Amino acid sequence: MSMLSLERVTKRYRVGAFGGRELTAVRDATFAVKAGEVVSLIGESGSGKTTLGRMVLRLASVSGGHIRFDGTDVSRLKGRKLAGYYKHVQGVFQDPFSTYNPIFKADRVLHTIRPTFFPEVSAAEWRKRIDTALESVRLDPRQVIDKYPHQLSGGQLQRMLIARALLLDIKLLVADEIISMLDASTRIDVLNLLADLKERGLGILFITHDLSLGHYISDRAVILRRGVVVEMGTTDKVFGNPRHPYTRTLLSSVPQMHHKWTRADIARTIDGSCAIHDGGACAGEPQLVEVDDDHLVGCAAH
Amino acid sequence: MSDLARAAGEETAPSAGGEVVSAPAVPLATGPVAAAAPGARRTRDALHFALRNKKVVGGGIVVLAFLALGLIAPLFYDYGHSEYVGPQSSGPSGEYWFGTTTFGQDVFLQFVHGIRSTFLVGLLGGGLAALIGMTIGFVAGYIGGLVDEALNMLTNIVLVLPALAVLIILHTYIGITSVPSQALFIGIFSWPWVARAVRAQTFSLRTRDFVDLARLSGMGSGAIIRREIAPNMSSYLFMTFILLFGGSVLFAATLDFIGLGPTGVMSLGLMMNNAVHWSALQLGLWWWFLPPGLGITAIVGALYIMNVGLDEVFNPKLREM
Amino acid sequence: MSLRVDNLKVYYRTLRGDVKALDGATFTVADGEIMGLAGESGSGKSTLGKSLIRLDTRMRLVEGGVELDGKPLPIGDQDAMNAYRFKAVSLIPQYAMSALNPTRKIGKMISELLGARGVKYSEIKPELERRLDLVGLKREVLNNYPIELSGGMKQRMVLVLSTLLNPSLLIADEVTSALDVSTQRAVAETLVEFRDREFVKSMIVVTHDISLVYQIADTIMVMYAGKLAEKAPADVVVNAPRHPYTQLLISSLPEVGVRYADRKLAGIPGSPPGLLNPPAGCRFRDRCPLAFARCVEEPPFVEVDKNHHVACWKAQ
């Protein structure tokens, strides 16, 4: 049973004077995240991956389709019901220094959630819970409490946001490029932290442009291109046996350590053009086709 | 695992205490870190720098001195500012510090009463304009979309209205009889630029991730504006109010001077109006028109200098010059 | 030797004192060498890159010198540097999009830029067009405004432009970090091609992404907290680094093929020291698993193997 499931989720923006033109940022995205599973949403800029994450978090409205969480359609929740949803679903964003209001102390983000979600808990009890949550993301409360955001490192700030989510009754975390602004030597620890939380049953939607990060942490991968899912499935299959030409191009372009770019990987991307219509004419059908157990691919012409 | 835990715990250990604050050493390289750091120290340092800024302190002293004068001085007189108490057209003397008018009214008493209404009109008019402008600016900037377009249209309409012409017409029909009603009219006409400026600032702040985080914390729009966005602009809002205060004072003086002021109340503009009306200039009664003119200039000038000083206080870049 | 940098120190002036962002760098870049300059934020890599072409107002040359093709490069003298910029040393900035004036057509802008250097546009136009062909840009782009080009196209345009006068040294500052992976590869490979065709003699590619620079660079130099840590041929840095920082850094980088479930990577505990008053001795010692008594003395940056320089007592 999937905890979060997206059914043909679509996002259209009105652009231009008086909203005359329509722009589709995400079209018919359908995938699911189970409890205790990391699903990577991988795409380049403009792929709609961030928009999808924002729709799951209901920070962007959903133009079409349904987002279900534990069976309930959450795509049009409002007010108190939406707050109830946020008790279980939280987000961490790319830029830690923008996620914290610079004029307040950083640990304020841990306090502002109490009146909404746990008004019955006393301030003293809450402080104890904060200490526990900080320790579980491997932060020393004495070092991070009562500090302004600029006095902490990006890694510490991101961990504190994860601690904030843990204070709630969190079931799903949307992590949008959360380590791309951290320094190389400390970013992997934040990634490992996510993986540990996953093992404790947390579902994670891991949004990234970085294939190596997606591969490192995720159980399943969804490749997004210009708002459309082109390939998805278990990480082993998507990365080990990519079927869509776009996935292959991505994989051959990603700079790897211990393996230099060769002409051969480019050639490999050009061969078998469409995994569905082997040799035949592509009709460009919109549906993903299951080419293997839990491995879906879109038509290359689409 | 325990290694990792220790690793995480020790992240700031080598540079504990004061060293942590010296973080800008790292951000100097590139990126958002550099942008975020100065903004945060703002609140804490503002007072420190304000009290060391000559413009803020000097301007503040002038403004407070005038305020005190306006509040206290009238209490020592047992006659009114329009009573004929002394010799006519006499120059400044020990008894009548600023001399008397053609009719023997005490110019100093008029002056201090004028300061009272000047501050009243500044506070009320500036306060009202700030209230309207900020409310419209915050709502338009935060909600956006159609609401923004409608409010923007309203703002632009008020902006292009010839305030003076409208006031003259209103005055003939309704009549502005008291300082508060004058302040009301001034307030209603001077908010548009505030709305536009606040809207622009709100617009850029609402895309920051901390606004999203506040929404994820279940905060409503009103709470987000009050608790997340407005505090970030507090210095800016404060300066806006100072400018509105000065603007209202000048506007009121103009209205009084052309005879559209409140009746039965003395104001600095009205003093100048009377002086001109009774040919003080030609008769050489300089003590009649110089004090109100200099008074307005000093108050508004001090406010503007304070504003420049506050700009330096709140803007770390200017501070370093 | 194309570039020789000798004990270069560049500090940032701040209210609380000098930030020692680049604190003594000595290295050379050979003719035809593409050197990747890698490090985390605050390592001094950008400061080094910038100081070779333009010191901004907060940067102060404290000591040291730079030689380009055997002649001293007056990096401390902004006016004297004007004669060298673009002709001898050129820069591709990180945000090429904002480097192009949005109100000028690209061709017009190039002509003005060349005019300011006393070069006739008409003389250089055939070469310009050849190079546009080479990077796969249509000649018509010269009649376009910058806004009409995509990010990758702009980056290639700036690459052509900055190397038009065949400079000796090209500094590419994070040129690919704002690009998508597919475009990134094309731009990175163009850099190599330009070197191969001798449009530029040597190149310093400043980046935080070692796996990217590994693809194109001949050598990689790693910086840490304002100091040089290691410089060696790219394969050596990636496969057999000698400095503990490089070793830990390389082993912390995930790459396609590595999975959390199979092999858990680890980061480096701690954080770099503040550079306002950095501790004496090796700046990595607080985080270094191999640190020992001698690390309170500063390790010199010495050649431990052919073309392999390391600043670590344990590597000597």
Side-chain angles (χ1 to χ4, degrees):
Chain A
M1 175 64 200
S2 295
M3 180 172 54
L4 177 83
S5 67
L6 281 73
E7 283 163 39
R8 305 185 61 115
V9 171
T10 298
K11 177 72 189 177
R12 284 181 292 267
Y13 287 107
R14 300 203 157 275
V15 291
F18 306 107
R21 247 164 17 97
E22 222 179 48
L23 201 135
T24 306
V26 176
R27 183 182 302 148
D28 293 335
T30 302
F31 62 89
V33 183
K34 297 195 195 76
E37 181 186 54
V38 181
V39 174
S40 285
L41 195 54
I42 301 171
E44 300 185 282
S45 58
S47 62
K49 58 184 190 303
T50 293
T51 308
L52 254 174
R54 289 177 63 82
M55 281 195 284
V56 170
L57 289 171
R58 290 297 318 279
L59 294 171
S61 61
V62 181
S63 323
H66 300 279
I67 298 175
R68 285 183 218 284
F69 180 76
D70 279 345
T72 321
D73 191 339
V74 295
S75 34
R76 274 146 200 102
L77 286 186
K78 276 202 173 80
R80 187 168 299 185
K81 285 191 174 154
L82 184 60
Y85 174 59
Y86 287 150
K87 197 166 177 176
H88 307 300
V89 179
Q90 280 291 328
V92 180
F93 310 112
Q94 176 172 15
D95 180 357
F97 292 95
S98 162
T99 317
Y100 287 81
N101 201 332
I103 61 168
F104 297 118
K105 296 205 168 129
D107 54 312
R108 177 174 178 266
V109 301
L110 304 174
H111 292 285
T112 48
I113 48 178
R114 185 174 68 96
T116 316
F117 300 108
F118 298 96
E120 73 284 358
V121 177
S122 73
E125 163 67 15
W126 190 250
R127 236 169 275 130
K128 269 186 222 146
R129 289 196 194 179
I130 285 178
D131 284 357
T132 317
L134 288 174
E135 275 156 20
S136 64
V137 296
R138 300 183 201 114
L139 282 176
D140 182 350
R142 284 163 304 164
Q143 287 182 350
V144 294
I145 289 210
D146 236 19
K147 294 263 167 58
Y148 284 96
H150 72 274
Q151 294 171 313
L152 300 172
S153 73
Q156 287 174 318
L157 292 174
Q158 294 296 56
R159 281 160 196 258
M160 201 187 271
L161 285 173
I162 297 171
R164 170 182 169 280
L166 296 180
L167 280 167
L168 302 168
D169 184 11
I170 183 86
K171 292 182 178 166
L172 176 78
L173 188 70
V174 178
D176 188 357
E177 298 272 14
I178 64 165
I179 63 168
S180 62
M181 291 184 71
L182 307 184
D183 266 332
S185 67
T186 51
R187 68 200 314 207
I188 196 72
D189 294 330
V190 175
L191 209 56
N192 286 337
L193 174 63
L194 281 189
D196 291 348
L197 293 175
K198 164 206 125 162
E199 281 172 4
R200 285 200 246 153
L202 186 68
I204 297 173
L205 183 60
F206 185 77
I207 300 173
T208 185
H209 71 283
D210 190 326
L211 290 121
S212 45
L213 298 183
H215 188 229
Y216 179 72
I217 192 174
S218 63
D219 303 298
R220 306 179 72 244
V222 178
I223 311 282
L224 205 61
R225 178 199 185 206
R226 292 194 203 135
V228 178
V229 174
V230 296
E231 182 159 3
M232 61 190 241
T234 62
T235 308
D236 290 333
K237 285 171 183 163
V238 172
F239 282 82
N241 182 20
R243 302 292 293 270
H244 196 281
Y246 178 68
T247 317
R248 295 182 184 185
T249 313
L250 281 184
L251 276 168
S252 69
S253 312
V254 64
Q256 299 237 47
M257 204 86 75
H258 310 109
H259 169 78
K260 288 210 180 181
W261 286 330
T262 57
R263 295 283 143 199
D265 4 277
I266 291 192
R268 206 153 34 114
T269 67
I270 300 167
D271 76 334
S273 52
C274 181
I276 302 169
H277 305 95
D278 198 14
C282 286
E285 48 212 87
Q287 299 291 341
L288 294 180
V289 172
E290 190 155 16
V291 291
D292 190 357
D293 200 26
D294 205 359
H295 187 180
L296 290 87
V297 184
C299 171
H302 187 62
Chain B
M1 184 70 86
S2 67
D3 270 358
L4 268 176
R6 217 182 55 239
E10 281 174 0
E11 227 159 70
T12 50
S15 50
E19 275 300 302
V20 183
V21 188
S22 73
V26 180
L28 270 175
T30 41
V33 191
R41 264 197 308 275
R42 212 178 263 181
T43 343
R44 199 183 43 195
D45 286 358
L47 200 64
H48 171 91
F49 280 98
L51 293 178
R52 275 159 191 74
N53 187 300
K54 283 182 189 141
K55 295 185 183 111
V56 176
V57 174
I61 288 175
V62 172
V63 171
L64 286 179
F66 272 104
L67 180 64
L69 189 67
L71 286 179
I72 298 164
L75 304 177
F76 293 96
Y77 290 81
D78 51 4
Y79 49 83
H81 56 76
S82 48
E83 287 178 45
Y84 309 134
V85 289
Q88 296 176 348
S89 310
S90 76
S93 65
E95 195 177 351
Y96 302 104
W97 293 352
F98 285 4
T100 58
T101 67
T102 330
F103 312 101
Q105 295 150 316
D106 187 340
V107 175
F108 181 72
L109 186 58
Q110 291 196 339
F111 178 68
V112 292
H113 272 282
I115 289 173
R116 271 189 176 188
S117 46
T118 288
F119 272 96
L120 190 62
V121 85
L123 275 178
L124 288 181
L128 182 67
L131 191 70
I132 302 177
M134 287 173 194
T135 308
I136 289 186
F138 278 131
V139 171
Y142 184 73
I143 296 179
L146 281 177
V147 175
D148 179 34
E149 283 184 33
L151 290 177
N152 228 344
M153 199 175 288
L154 177 71
T155 309
N156 287 336
I157 290 172
V158 178
L159 194 66
V160 296
L161 277 182
L164 203 57
V166 175
L167 271 174
I168 291 173
I169 297 166
L170 279 177
H171 187 74
T172 40
Y173 279 95
I174 308 168
I176 298 169
T177 50
S178 67
V179 174
S181 66
Q182 185 186 38
L184 179 75
F185 283 113
I186 291 174
I188 285 176
F189 282 102
S190 39
W191 59 266
W193 69 267
V194 181
R196 303 191 84 171
V198 170
R199 173 186 171 274
Q201 292 253 330
T202 310
F203 216 71
S204 79
L205 281 174
R206 80 159 183 180
T207 58
R208 300 277 290 275
D209 291 338
F210 63 74
V211 171
D212 285 338
L213 197 74
R215 288 172 67 187
L216 291 180
S217 305
M219 271 195 216
S221 302
I224 292 178
I225 291 175
R226 269 182 291 114
R227 292 169 58 190
E228 301 283 340
I229 294 181
N232 256 288
M233 299 165 52
S234 53
S235 59
Y236 186 80
L237 298 178
F238 184 56
M239 290 195 293
T240 306
F241 176 70
I242 284 193
L243 288 179
L244 282 173
F245 188 104
S248 299
V249 168
L250 282 183
F251 201 171
T254 312
L255 292 178
D256 298 345
F257 183 73
I258 59 173
L260 296 179
T263 46
V265 185
M266 188 43 68
S267 75
L268 296 180
L270 194 59
M271 282 175 77
M272 289 199 285
N273 175 317
N274 287 338
V276 170
H277 198 232
W278 303 107
S279 314
L281 203 59
Q282 289 84 347
L283 298 174
L285 309 179
W286 53 266
W287 54 87
W288 194 354
F289 56 83
L290 270 188
L294 290 178
I296 289 177
T297 314
I299 294 173
V300 176
L303 283 172
Y304 285 168
I305 287 171
M306 256 179 95
N307 181 53
V308 174
L310 284 172
D311 212 11
E312 290 170 3
V313 170
F314 291 126
N315 187 338
K317 277 192 196 129
L318 291 176
R319 199 191 283 164
E320 285 175 24
M321 297 264 205
Chain C
M1 268 322 145
S2 177
L3 178 76
R4 181 186 295 279
V5 175
D6 186 31
N7 193 27
L8 186 63
K9 292 189 181 181
V10 175
Y11 294 174
Y12 279 91
R13 273 185 285 246
T14 72
L15 277 184
R16 279 164 298 158
D18 281 343
V19 172
K20 301 172 182 64
L22 178 63
D23 209 6
T26 304
F27 64 96
T28 56
V29 179
D31 286 348
E33 177 176 338
I34 296 183
M35 183 183 87
L37 179 54
E40 304 179 65
S41 62
S43 64
K45 61 179 193 302
S46 302
T47 310
L48 174 54
K50 270 189 231 161
S51 61
L52 293 177
I53 186 154
R54 186 188 297 278
L55 295 171
D56 72 36
T57 49
R58 292 185 308 157
M59 289 159 78
R60 187 163 66 88
L61 175 64
V62 178
E63 70 175 88
V66 177
E67 252 179 37
L68 187 66
D69 296 327
K71 281 176 294 212
L73 194 64
I75 61 163
D77 182 342
Q78 294 310 299
D79 296 327
M81 270 304 282
N82 265 333
Y84 294 88
R85 290 190 194 114
F86 199 32
K87 282 180 178 167
V89 192
S90 203
L91 172 85
I92 313 179
Q94 180 171 6
Y95 296 102
M97 341 352 211
S98 50
L100 297 171
N101 181 343
T103 63
R104 285 266 190 289
K105 284 186 178 164
I106 289 165
K108 172 101 173 132
M109 192 182 59
I110 297 177
S111 137
E112 286 173 0
L113 200 65
L114 290 169
R117 308 277 161 192
V119 181
K120 276 220 177 73
Y121 182 54
S122 52
E123 281 170 18
I124 214 146
K125 198 163 181 212
E127 181 60 27
L128 172 64
E129 289 178 342
R130 256 200 304 284
R131 293 190 184 184
L132 288 179
D133 294 346
L134 193 69
V135 299
L137 286 172
K138 293 203 180 73
R139 293 177 183 192
E140 287 81 73
V141 296
L142 294 177
N143 292 320
N144 285 6
Y145 288 96
I147 196 168
E148 297 172 272
L149 273 60
S150 72
M153 286 164 82
K154 274 183 215 162
Q155 202 61 276
R156 275 178 278 166
M157 189 67 234
V158 174
L159 176 62
V160 168
L161 178 56
S162 57
T163 55
L164 203 51
L165 299 182
N166 296 351
S168 254
L169 177 67
L170 177 71
I171 297 156
D173 189 2
E174 298 279 8
V175 280
T176 60
S177 53
L179 302 176
D180 284 331
V181 273
S182 42
T183 333
Q184 195 180 45
R185 175 168 181 173
V187 170
E189 287 179 333
T190 313
L191 288 175
V192 180
E193 177 145 20
F194 270 43
R195 189 271 317 263
D196 293 347
R197 288 176 185 265
E198 296 182 355
F199 295 163
V200 289
K201 215 187 275 173
S202 50
M203 226 181 261
I204 296 181
V205 182
V206 183
T207 184
H208 66 279
D209 188 346
I210 293 188
S211 53
L212 176 87
V213 89
Y214 169 68
Q215 306 295 328
I216 58 168
D218 305 306
T219 58
I220 295 178
M221 184 160 85
V222 180
M223 290 189 67
Y224 182 80
K227 299 268 188 193
L228 305 187
E230 181 158 12
K231 184 186 181 216
D235 281 315
V236 175
V237 165
V238 168
N239 297 313
R242 299 278 288 270
H243 195 287
Y245 172 66
T246 322
Q247 289 169 350
L248 289 172
L249 184 65
I250 299 274
S251 69
S252 77
L253 301 176
E255 55 182 320
V256 176
V258 178
R259 307 257 340 241
Y260 168 80
D262 311 331
R263 181 156 71 89
K264 191 167 164 180
L265 304 173
I268 309 178
S271 55
L275 295 181
L276 204 55
N277 288 303
C282 174
R283 290 188 181 170
F284 187 60
R285 70 170 194 271
D286 285 341
R287 303 170 77 186
C288 182
L290 306 179
F292 68 123
R294 198 163 179 201
C295 297
V296 295
E297 293 169 47
E298 186 175 332
F301 189 64
V302 292
E303 190 159 16
V304 294
D305 214 339
K306 191 171 168 0
N307 293 325
H308 190 167
H309 295 74
V310 183
C312 177
W313 294 117
K314 288 280 190 187
Q316 288 164 21

